[in-house]
Amino acid sequence: MREDSSGVYIVSRRSAKRSYGGRRRGAVGALVAVLLLLTAGICALVIILPRLEQTGGEASAPAFSGKSYYMLATCETDNYAEATAAAQDAAMRGGAGYIYNDGKYHVVAAVYSREADAKTLASVNPDSHYFEVRLAPSTLTDAERDALEYLTGDWFDAVYTAATELDRGNATDAAADYAVMKACAELSRRAELCGERLRRTLLSASEYDTVRTRSTLSYIRYVTVRAIESVVRNT
């Protein structure tokens, strides 16, 4: 700047050009810096977001926590004819008479959700034993988890209670039959919403015949053991 004879300060044209050019270069540099920061941020999001989505998906996926059951067996043998005879005998006495094969034939009379029950009964029945089977924990769809939780919760409670009350004389054949048919129908309904493999397994587990050659008590226990064994092997 220079002082005019009037005493007013004015900016010389040369100085103005230099000042304007400096400001313009500074603005351009700031803009480039901002663009570089934005580019770096976008690159970081491209890398991080898929990982966050994957982690979030895994965390929110419905999980089935698993469940153990205890099979009370009246016989263990390598001979199928012997197992068949023992199964018929167990069925005649109101047991399931289900032949479970894990490399040996176990003739299962009943299945329990509490180890203490199976252990107590095995201790008071000569030649009896019990063993554990387990539904493993797994990550499932909402419908599949719902179906398995129903099987291991309300369904098992309904069929177990029906058998117990029938055995104690507190329920009639018709009442026990009806309770189990209702529970199996509900399991079948929930099975239809599952993936193909679990759907087939649960539909098979929920089959309940109204015509059979064994007593109602034996058949209810047979259906209970069959359902648990089938799901354990196929899930």
Side-chain angles (χ1 to χ4, degrees):
M1 289 183 294
R2 60 184 176 83
E3 188 175 8
D4 189 74
S5 58
S6 64
V8 179
Y9 286 94
I10 63 174
V11 179
S12 69
R13 297 190 180 201
R14 184 177 178 184
S15 298
K17 279 185 181 179
R18 184 178 298 128
S19 176
Y20 174 73
R23 286 197 300 270
R24 185 171 61 181
R25 285 192 295 272
V28 171
L31 180 59
V32 171
V34 170
L35 289 174
L36 288 173
L37 286 172
L38 287 174
T39 302
I42 291 170
C43 291
L45 287 174
V46 169
I47 295 172
I48 294 171
L49 279 178
R51 295 179 181 176
L52 290 176
E53 289 174 359
Q54 183 178 6
T55 303
E58 290 173 354
S60 62
F64 174 68
S65 60
K67 176 70 177 177
S68 288
Y69 288 95
Y70 303 90
M71 303 281 191
L72 176 68
T74 60
C75 172
E76 178 183 322
T77 180
D78 294 317
N79 186 282
Y80 183 73
E82 184 179 340
T84 300
Q88 291 173 345
D89 180 62
M92 287 179 64
R93 291 185 287 137
Y98 187 93
I99 300 176
Y100 184 100
N101 186 352
D102 63 359
K104 286 185 175 295
Y105 296 121
H106 302 267
V107 177
V108 179
V111 57
Y112 300 90
S113 60
R114 299 196 321 149
E115 183 178 12
D117 293 337
K119 186 175 183 179
T120 298
L121 289 167
S123 69
V124 297
N125 286 281
D127 301 321
S128 295
H129 65 283
Y130 77 93
F131 57 96
E132 179 184 6
V133 296
R134 180 164 176 77
L135 284 168
S138 53
T139 301
L140 307 163
T141 66
D142 287 325
E144 289 171 339
R145 182 186 63 179
D146 174 72
L148 281 183
E149 287 183 346
Y150 178 74
L151 171 78
T152 57
D154 290 345
W155 182 88
F156 186 86
D157 290 345
V159 295
Y160 179 82
T161 299
T164 301
E165 292 302 292
L166 183 57
D167 191 28
R168 291 173 177 173
N170 297 329
T172 63
D173 278 10
D177 234 353
Y178 182 68
V180 178
M181 281 192 294
K182 280 182 60 180
C184 286
E186 178 62 18
L187 180 59
S188 177
R189 185 189 70 79
R190 297 186 188 219
E192 291 290 357
L193 303 175
C194 298
E196 183 61 22
R197 180 178 179 183
L198 184 57
R199 186 182 73 85
R200 289 198 309 267
T201 299
L202 291 178
L203 287 177
S204 175
S206 63
E207 289 178 0
Y208 192 77
D209 297 329
T210 55
V211 178
R212 55 260 182 175
T213 57
R214 60 175 72 208
S215 70
T216 301
L217 177 60
S218 173
Y219 185 65
I220 291 174
R221 284 175 170 161
Y222 179 88
V223 167
T224 311
V225 175
R226 182 194 65 192
I228 298 303
E229 190 267 350
S230 176
V231 176
V232 166
R233 290 197 188 275
N234 293 290
T235 57

